[in-house]
């Protein structure tokens, strides 16, 4: 099948990250994908070669306003339209193919299956909304139907994306070799932790705890962008000082921008992962390591209910629930709760929770398919 996936980049790149992973996986399974993005530049480091057309089956097109008529005339029709995360397909694009469907040249062509690929949530209403129709009442495609498609964590949703080669890559992964390739020297006994976040208020007291004399050594791997800028600001304020033999209790490595496969490997290399947004949450679940998730903060605090629903699904132990609430600004950070991220027994509980969740998802995917499989199956049914 041929897919048109439309994506608008808001500000944190999770949207383009999810759309690229989905498009690349559909292409790897034999489909062709046109990915329309209003700001495709981040793909230069997220998926090297994508902008130059070096990914078989995926064509990245800049979504301008309006789309050039000459470009539209040269496009073969697609089988599927996907509006990702509530964006609206360009009206001139819809009008062009609606006109084509009415023309004599169209033969038996009908407008494609039209999907609204929604945000990821564990809230109960997602199961009720998944796969519901949404009649198109206005415009050149009036009378057609869109379909809501919700990714999710339960069999009654659209599942999560899992590339067909993911488990094999994970099984072959060598964390020591990965750290060496990135010139990261970790002291014996230090816990390796990844940090991908916005600007949580709890980060400063957490780094102060890890830097305090007598604390268990931590080597923090900080991702490029907002997380790196915020962590560097805090570490400068703390004034990290070398301890015995030039060692610090807290060592920090600031990473350059990683491609998506490299980010997966970062999670596999660490004993604790701090992640943010949708794409990295899914990757943390497949990694099966202890993790803490920061949701995108919303002005009306809607992310609080979203977090609680996820923690319920995760079957999170009490220590992990409290840490998540403080990490997401629902409670003021306290030394007692933040200390859990350095306690071996507590981290073992978090690891068991993550492994159990991963196993539940693996069982579900084996029985019903991942997000790409479920999408393709749904489209085939509607065609």
């Amino acid at each position: 099948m041929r897919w048109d996936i439309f994506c608008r980049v808001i500000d944190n790149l999770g949207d383009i990250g999810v759309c690229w992973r989905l498009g690349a996986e559909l292409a790897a399974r034999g489909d062709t994908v046109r990915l329309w993005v209003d700001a495709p530049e981040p793909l230069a480091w997220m998926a090297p070669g994508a902008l130059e057309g070096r990914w078989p089956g995926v064509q990245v097109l800049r979504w301008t306003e309006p789309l050039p008529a000459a470009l539209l005339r040269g496009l073969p029709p697609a089988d599927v339209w996907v509006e990702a995360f509530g964006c609206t397909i360009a009206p001139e694009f819809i009008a062009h193919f609606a006109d084509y469907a009415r023309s004599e040249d169209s033969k038996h062509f009908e407008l494609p299956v039209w999907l609204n690929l929604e945000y990821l949530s564990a809230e109960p209403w997602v199961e009720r909304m998944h796969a519901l129709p949404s009649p198109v009442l206005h415009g050149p495609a009036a009378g057609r139907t869109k379909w809501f498609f919700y990714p999710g964590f339960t069999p009654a949703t659209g599942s999560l994306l899992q590339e067909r080669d993911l488990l094999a890559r994970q099984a072959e992964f060598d964390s020591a070799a990965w750290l060496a390739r990135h010139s990261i020297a970790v002291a014996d006994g230090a816990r390796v932790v990844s940090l991908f976040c916005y600007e949580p208020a709890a980060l400063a007291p957490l780094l102060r705890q890890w830097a305090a004399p007598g604390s268990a050594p931590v080597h923090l791997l900080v991702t490029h962008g907002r997380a790196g800028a915020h962590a560097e600001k805090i570490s400068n304020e703390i004034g990290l000082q070398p301890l015995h033999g030039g060692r610090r209790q807290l060592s920090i490595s600031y990473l350059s921008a990683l491609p998506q496969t490299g980010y997966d490997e970062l999670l596999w290399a660490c004993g604790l992962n701090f992640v943010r947004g949708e794409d990295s949450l899914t990757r943390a679940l497949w990694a099966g390591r202890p993790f803490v998730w920061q949701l995108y903060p919303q002005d009306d605090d809607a992310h609080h209910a979203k977090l609680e629903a996820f923690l319920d699904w995760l079957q999170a132990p009490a220590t992990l629930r409290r840490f998540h609430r403080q990490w997401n600004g629902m409670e003021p950070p306290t030394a007692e709760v933040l200390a859990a991220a350095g306690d071996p027994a507590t981290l073992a509980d978090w690891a068991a929770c993550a492994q159990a969740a991963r196993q539940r998802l693996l069982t579900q995917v084996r029985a019903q398919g991942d997000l790409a499989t479920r999408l393709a199956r749904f489209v085939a049914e509607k065609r």
Side-chain angles (χ1 to χ4, degrees), residues 77-100:
D79 302 292
V80 194
W81 291 345
V82 178
E83 295 175 329
F85 307 119
C87 75
T88 302
I89 293 177
E92 63 274 14
F93 181 92
I94 298 171
H96 170 78
F97 285 105
D99 289 343
Y100 177 78

Side-chain angles (χ1 to χ4, degrees), residues 162-241:
Q162 183 193 81
E163 298 88 345
R164 289 187 175 181
D165 66 346
L166 178 66
L167 299 183
R169 288 196 296 116
Q170 191 173 1
E172 296 169 358
F173 179 71
D174 184 330
S175 58
W178 188 88
L179 291 168
R181 283 198 308 273
H182 288 81
S183 302
I184 298 170
V186 178
D188 290 343
R191 178 175 294 108
V192 183
V193 179
S194 77
L195 179 67
F196 182 45
C197 63
Y198 303 114
E199 292 84 15
L203 182 59
L206 179 63
L207 295 188
R208 288 191 178 93
Q209 276 199 10
W210 283 347
S215 298
V218 170
H219 196 119
L220 187 64
L221 308 183
V222 184
T223 55
H224 176 77
R226 289 174 63 171
H230 192 52
E232 187 171 17
K233 176 178 179 292
I234 294 170
S235 63
N236 289 337
E237 292 171 353
I238 294 173
L240 295 178
Q241 297 296 321

